Amino acid sequence: MVKKIAVLTSGGDAPGMNAAVRAVTRGALAKGWEVLGIRNGYAGLLEDEMRALQARDVGGIIQSGGTMLGSARCPEFAEPAGRTRALSILEKNGAEALVVIGGNGSQSGSASLAREGFPVVGVPSTIDNDLYGNDVSIGCDTAINITLEAVDRLRTTASSHRRAFAVETMGRNCGYIALMAGIAGGAEVIALPESELAPEDVAERLRAAYQRGKTHALAVIAEGAKCGVRALMEYYGAHRRSIGFDLRVTRLGHVVRGGIPSAADRVLATRLGAAAVDALAAGAHGVLVGIIRGDAVRTPLAEIAGRMRPADAGLLELARVMAR
Ligand code: ATP
């Protein structure tokens, strides 16, 4: 039976990571286990940067974005020699299991550690929502809401000046944030890596919106889409007259993953942190815990590594139909 676990946050920070650290810590303490908090992800693990966490150490963090443990990228951990060192450091500190709170790359790391025989449980936490084995990862809801707020604000100025705005949001190769914020914000065009549009297609939809008499038009563009804002601006520069609207571009960048986590992200993180501890208590490891259709589900990390959630074709079509 496990008596001492370690927890780390890895990869890009996501709002709600702190709530997950809190839930893992308090869930484990409630079972009478000890908890070690590792600083700065796998990089801190390789530097043996860890300390015991008590209930009070994770107090007052549920509402703050980022991660109190810190996060980092660590290429060394992707090499077998790095992981061998990590295993000996975990052993030296008496950690019998590790909870990894992070995104796609981080869970590839936990899958490698699991394959090498160490008990690991992954908690999906990335604004990108590109992980297989869960419906929505921690941080994504907040990122969607920040993007949506920007879309709503830009719509007012767009209407006043009869302009079009292209808003680029984050998400790496996954267009989930752009899709959801685009639907919620009533965007005229949504460009995603999973459903590519050429700059001339985007421009054509903006032109059609102008001809239908719209006072504004909004294009939400995922950062991974081939039709990036630069390509769109170049096309626009050459065809401005025939399109009607003036075009302005706003790149949201890291703004979308900063700040206060939404209620949904805090609840999700609390459920998943507790589910990770429950999995270890039940002797289940080498898994990612995720919510699928409302239930906490464990999926083998071996099935997750290198896979991406497919885009919802139904939602894509819905967005297209609504942009009339
Ligand atoms: P986000 O998508 O939010 O940026 P992420 O978890 O996908 O988060 P990455 O930078 O891809 O972020 O990965 C974080 C860390 O996980 C890497 O720096 C590396 O230490 C480890 N990692 C990534 N891929 C692998 C792999 N294939 N094997 C072992 N470790 C890996």
Side-chain angles (χ1 to χ4, degrees):
M1 183 61 177
V2 174
K3 286 272 178 260
K4 191 172 188 180
I5 66 168
V7 58
L8 60 78
T9 52
S10 170
D13 66 308
M17 275 184 161
N18 277 327
V21 171
R22 172 181 178 270
V24 169
T25 303
R26 292 192 177 170
L29 293 173
K31 293 192 189 302
W33 303 351
E34 288 177 64
V35 181
L36 292 169
I38 299 174
R39 296 268 324 146
N40 303 330
Y42 294 126
L45 171 56
L46 293 183
E47 296 298 321
D48 197 2
E49 288 182 58
M50 57 184 87
R51 70 173 176 99
L53 292 178
Q54 307 301 337
R56 294 279 69 71
D57 295 324
V58 292
I61 62 169
I62 195 168
Q63 78 290 358
S64 53
T67 160
M68 54 107 51
L69 290 177
S71 187
R73 316 266 182 201
C74 178
E76 209 183 332
F77 191 79
E79 303 299 326
R83 291 196 298 278
T84 304
R85 200 160 116 229
L87 288 172
S88 72
I89 291 170
L90 285 165
E91 197 182 327
K92 186 190 93 180
N93 286 281
E96 296 153 293
L98 175 67
V99 176
V100 173
I101 302 167
N104 217 325
S106 304
Q107 304 307 345
S108 294
S110 50
S112 304
L113 216 50
R115 207 170 43 242
E116 284 151 16
F118 195 79
V120 193
V121 174
V123 173
S125 179
T126 165
I127 63 157
D128 303 340
N129 202 28
D130 56 355
L131 265 165
Y132 195 78
N134 73 142
D135 288 340
V136 185
S137 50
I138 297 165
C140 186
D141 181 70
T142 305
I144 291 166
N145 280 299
I146 295 171
T147 304
L148 178 60
E149 187 185 337
V151 168
D152 287 345
R153 285 175 187 274
L154 290 169
R155 181 192 291 276
T156 61
T157 176
S159 289
S160 306
H161 293 272
R162 203 159 188 218
R163 273 183 187 148
F165 271 85
V167 185
E168 185 196 83
T169 189
M170 288 185 106
R172 283 207 190 170
N173 295 321
C174 179
Y176 189 80
I177 297 174
L179 177 59
M180 301 307 274
I183 291 174
E188 276 64 31
V189 191
I190 304 174
L192 313 176
E194 299 93 334
S195 166
E196 291 289 1
L197 290 175
E200 50 268 39
D201 299 328
V202 174
E204 177 51 39
R205 292 192 195 188
L206 297 179
R207 181 188 290 119
Y210 189 85
Q211 285 166 355
R212 288 200 301 277
K214 288 208 171 195
T215 54
H216 58 259
L218 286 152
V220 181
I221 301 191
E223 66 175 338
K226 283 209 187 74
C227 171
V229 288
R230 181 173 302 183
L232 185 58
M233 280 306 268
E234 274 168 21
Y235 183 87
Y236 229 86
H239 301 84
R240 156 76 188 84
R241 279 179 166 277
S242 69
I243 294 169
F245 291 118
D246 251 350
L247 180 72
R248 295 285 190 279
V249 163
T250 299
R251 290 184 120 140
L252 298 179
H254 287 76
V255 164
V256 304
R257 70 186 206 207
I260 298 170
S262 67
D265 273 330
R266 297 184 207 187
V267 173
L268 177 66
T270 303
R271 286 184 74 188
L272 291 181
V277 171
D278 287 344
L280 288 170
H285 49 77
V287 293
L288 181 99
V289 290
I291 305 291
I292 299 180
R293 295 199 182 99
D295 293 323
V297 172
R298 299 169 192 156
T299 307
L301 285 164
E303 283 179 26
I304 284 162
R307 276 174 95 176
M308 250 181 79
R309 290 178 56 263
D312 186 328
L315 280 180
L316 269 169
E317 176 56 16
L318 181 64
R320 206 185 57 78
V321 170
M322 291 299 150
R324 300 278 148 181

